[in-house]
């Protein structure tokens, strides 16, 4: 628990003076196991419709997570209620099994690039992130142990990214 607290404090300090951040929020996963029916929701108020932005998915997992990746479905609902769904693979480990994310103890933080976005209208956008892990072709994993937090970050693009 002390490791989690130290990591959370460090993360807060590092992101508190982040001038590119438009939105960032992370949701704790109940009991460190992501249930397929638990879908974190992030509501983002967008006022800047001129800037191109970058969207990323944040995941905090433990060293006990049994896979090298995580598939997620991201549903975006615009202010008019129009829905779009994307699929994203978050990579957590190298081919040799070494964890990719930054970590402290047995917790690892990864941030996966999702896409660049230019919002077409101002208003509240809703983002829903659903775990999409499967065993075999059709068998959904109902409970995914080792996932601690799931989040969304939207930031303004750096000048060299435009």
């Amino acid at each position: 628990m002390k490791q989690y607290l130290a990591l959370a404090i460090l993360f807060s300090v590092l992101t508190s003076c982040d001038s590119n951040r438009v939105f960032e929020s992370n949701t704790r996963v109940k009991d460190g196991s992501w249930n397929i029916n638990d879908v974190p929701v992030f509501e983002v108020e967008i006022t800047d419709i001129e800037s191109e932005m970058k969207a990323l998915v944040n995941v905090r997992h433990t060293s006990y997570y049994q896979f090298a990746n995580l598939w997620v479905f991201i549903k975006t609902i615009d202010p008019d209620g129009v829905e779009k769904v994307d699929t994203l693979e978050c990579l957590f480990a190298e081919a040799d099994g070494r964890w990719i994310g930054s970590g402290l103890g047995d917790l690892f933080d990864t941030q996966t690039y999702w896409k660049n976005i230019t919002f077409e209208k101002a208003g509240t956008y809703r983002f829903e992130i659903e775990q999409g892990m499967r065993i075999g072709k059709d068998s959904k994993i109902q409970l995914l142990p080792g996932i601690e937090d799931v989040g969304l970050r939207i930031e303004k693009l750096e000048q060299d990214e435009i």
Side-chain angles (χ1 to χ4, degrees), residues 91-102:
L91 294 175
F92 292 164
E94 301 284 353
D96 64 5
R98 284 181 296 128
W99 296 114
I100 293 172
S102 59

Side-chain angles (χ1 to χ4, degrees), residues 52-160:
E52 188 172 10
M53 299 186 199
K54 178 168 55 174
L56 304 114
V57 171
N58 300 330
V59 179
R60 176 173 290 136
H61 66 90
T62 70
S63 60
Y64 305 107
Y65 183 71
Q66 60 185 329
F67 302 101
N69 67 345
L70 170 70
W71 287 96
V72 295
F73 304 117
I74 307 167
K75 181 189 290 185
T76 304
I77 305 168
D78 75 13
D80 293 332
V82 176
E83 297 181 8
K84 294 179 183 173
V85 178
D86 290 316
T87 303
L88 177 68
E89 180 183 21
C90 303
L91 294 175
F92 292 164
E94 301 284 353
D96 64 5
R98 284 181 296 128
W99 296 114
I100 293 172
S102 59
L104 181 65
D106 73 337
L107 287 173
F108 296 88
D109 290 314
T110 61
Q111 198 168 60
T112 303
Y113 169 81
W114 169 27
K115 66 180 180 178
N116 287 358
I117 302 174
T118 302
F119 293 97
E120 296 177 6
K121 55 191 80 161
T124 302
Y125 287 76
R126 181 181 171 104
F127 297 90
E128 301 175 1
I129 302 177
E130 175 186 346
Q131 68 102 331
M133 294 297 284
R134 306 288 185 262
I135 294 177
K137 187 175 174 184
D138 299 315
S139 182
K140 297 178 182 178
I141 298 175
Q142 297 298 314
L143 198 60
L144 195 56
I147 301 295
E148 297 288 326
D149 299 277
V150 177
L152 177 70
R153 177 179 171 93
I154 298 174
E155 61 186 39
K156 293 180 183 176
L157 288 177
E158 295 282 341
Q159 196 61 28
D160 61 347

Side-chain angles (χ1 to χ4, degrees), residues 6-40:
L7 193 58
I9 292 169
L10 178 64
F11 184 74
S12 295
V13 169
L14 293 176
T15 60
S16 62
C17 42
D18 184 355
S19 62
N20 288 339
R21 181 181 58 217
V22 172
F23 174 86
E24 186 162 25
S25 179
N26 297 294
T27 299
R28 186 104 171 110
V29 172
K30 183 180 176 185
D31 299 324
S33 291
W34 194 0
N35 187 305
I36 197 164
N37 297 316
D38 292 336
V39 180

